Amino acid sequence: NNLRELRALLSPKVELLAVVKANAYGHGLDLVAPLAERRADWLGVHGAEEARNLRRLGITKPLLVMGFVPRSELAGLDADTHLVVSSAEALEWVGEHRRRSGISLPVHLKVDIGTKRQGVAVERIPELCRLAAEQRLDLVGVAGHFANIEDTIEHEFARVQLARFHRALEVLAAECGQLPPYIHTSCSAAVLLFRETDFSLVRVGISMYGHWPSRETRLSLMLREGAGKPALQPVLSWKATVGQIQDVEGGESVGYGRSWTARRPSQLAVIPVGYADGYSRVLGNRSRVLIRGSSAPIVGRVCMNIMMADITDIPGVVIGDEAVLVGSQGTATVTADELAALGETISYELLARLSPAIPRVLV
């Protein structure tokens, strides 16, 4: 649904890259990648090993490795795996790999347009273009990345960065005689808000999984007349099972550090999930789970593999009942955004840190 909704925003000439790095944002690479491949033109990852994993899963679409790839990690990549490069050293390593293996890995030059993360300065573009030619590499793409397009409703700096990117394209075209076929700057927020950032390829991550990049992104779109408003649906639910029911007398404390004390005779559900699974320790005494369609507050500290929920006001709970950590149960819902806000972080982190050891089930 989400890829269909996002695709509808784009011109038919714009290709769509589905970002599946970080175990598909915690959702499970082996489940998400085959589904994403059906509607995306590309799949994007951070590292070389993720790219190799996608090929082992049978993914045949072009891949873009967006992060730093050391020289030692180039082996085993195929000619339809593209690399984002940000330095002369990286270009030399890819050239060396071509001479040694006979495989020419296509490269996309990352330009720093003000994010001060990956990327080369605009002034160095001619130097790196010449180096790519010397190394007999296929420079097929140029990329940029926005620094402040998600967490604000004021997008002046994004427009400054876009102007810098256009300048980079002018320099690149002057040096190479033409622009490469793949030009891309758009993340999820840019795809949702700015058609002028589409170019020939867009990269969608968090929105593909049904989450808005931020409240500000959603508000910015709501304030725009005539803008398409995609109906994003969260893909992931996170569920566990009540493993024990614990009776607590008024005045008794619960868990490590005795951070919660019962003010009345209480009943707790012991849930076998903790921070080792990705449920943050800071959510103790802050968050809630859903049991039998009602909210059960998390009480005491979240432990490595265990947490406790107060079910005193939820009648009939038994061992084996479902506890929903993220998702819906009956008419009640707990969102990843809610937990992220309580943990003073963002949904990206909460999802990406879900332990790979948790079983994923495709429904």
Side-chain angles (χ1 to χ4, degrees), residues 58-69:
I59 300 300
T60 59
K61 289 280 178 74
L63 307 179
L64 181 65
V65 181
M66 299 180 290
F68 171 69
V69 180

Side-chain angles (χ1 to χ4, degrees), residues 47-261:
E49 184 58 24
E50 290 175 311
R52 286 188 285 266
N53 283 340
L54 286 173
R55 294 302 187 220
R56 285 192 283 264
L57 289 171
I59 300 300
T60 59
K61 289 280 178 74
L63 307 179
L64 181 65
V65 181
M66 299 180 290
F68 171 69
V69 180
R71 184 190 323 214
S72 59
E73 287 292 303
L74 294 171
L77 299 179
D78 61 63
D80 213 12
T81 297
H82 297 226
L83 303 179
V84 171
V85 298
S86 301
S87 68
E89 290 83 356
L91 285 172
E92 290 171 351
W93 294 344
V94 179
E96 177 187 289
H97 175 73
R98 180 194 62 77
R99 293 187 292 276
R100 185 175 61 250
S101 68
I103 297 174
S104 182
L105 300 172
V107 295
H108 297 224
L109 185 63
K110 184 71 169 284
V111 181
D112 176 25
I113 52 175
T115 304
K116 295 302 176 185
R117 206 174 61 165
Q118 286 175 298
V120 299
V122 174
E123 295 75 21
R124 293 194 64 200
I125 290 175
E127 169 197 345
L128 295 188
C129 285
R130 290 191 291 270
L131 180 57
E134 291 169 7
Q135 297 290 330
R136 296 173 57 194
L137 299 177
D138 295 322
L139 181 58
V140 301
V142 57
H145 195 62
F146 292 108
N148 194 32
I149 205 167
E150 298 175 352
D151 301 324
T152 180
I153 60 173
E154 304 292 340
H155 294 103
E156 287 80 1
F157 191 67
R159 294 185 179 92
V160 168
Q161 288 194 282
L162 185 58
R164 290 174 181 170
F165 189 71
H166 278 289
R167 174 59 184 153
L169 295 181
E170 293 173 1
V171 173
L172 185 64
E175 180 64 33
C176 298
Q178 61 182 4
L179 288 174
Y182 302 113
I183 302 172
H184 48 108
T185 62
S186 280
C187 56
S188 286
V191 169
L192 291 163
L193 295 175
F194 297 110
R195 294 282 60 81
E196 58 267 39
T197 67
D198 287 348
F199 294 102
S200 57
L201 175 68
V202 300
R203 312 179 301 256
V204 295
I206 195 72
S207 59
M208 178 177 79
Y209 303 98
H211 300 276
W212 289 80
S214 66
R215 288 173 295 180
E216 290 84 357
T217 301
R218 193 167 192 172
L219 178 59
S220 295
L221 193 62
M222 290 172 61
L223 293 173
R224 295 189 177 199
E225 295 182 6
K229 297 176 177 59
L232 302 180
Q233 299 177 18
V235 171
L236 177 142
S237 296
W238 188 8
K239 302 179 180 182
T241 301
V242 174
Q244 184 179 344
I245 294 176
Q246 184 73 259
D247 292 317
V248 181
E249 296 298 325
E252 287 190 304
S253 61
V254 172
Y256 290 132
R258 306 180 67 198
S259 67
W260 185 83
T261 299

Side-chain angles (χ1 to χ4, degrees), residues 267-306:
Q267 196 169 61
L268 308 182
V270 180
I271 300 169
V273 172
Y275 57 77
D277 305 296
Y279 201 93
S280 176
R281 187 173 181 270
V282 304
L283 293 175
N285 298 311
R286 294 187 183 187
S287 61
R288 63 192 176 102
V289 297
L290 304 177
I291 300 176
R292 299 207 162 205
S294 297
S295 292
I298 297 300
V299 296
R301 288 185 183 167
V302 174
C303 310
M304 186 177 289
N305 303 108
I306 294 171

Side-chain angles (χ1 to χ4, degrees), residues 24-37:
Y25 283 50
H27 291 61
L29 184 68
D30 58 337
L31 294 184
V32 169
L35 299 175
E37 188 179 35

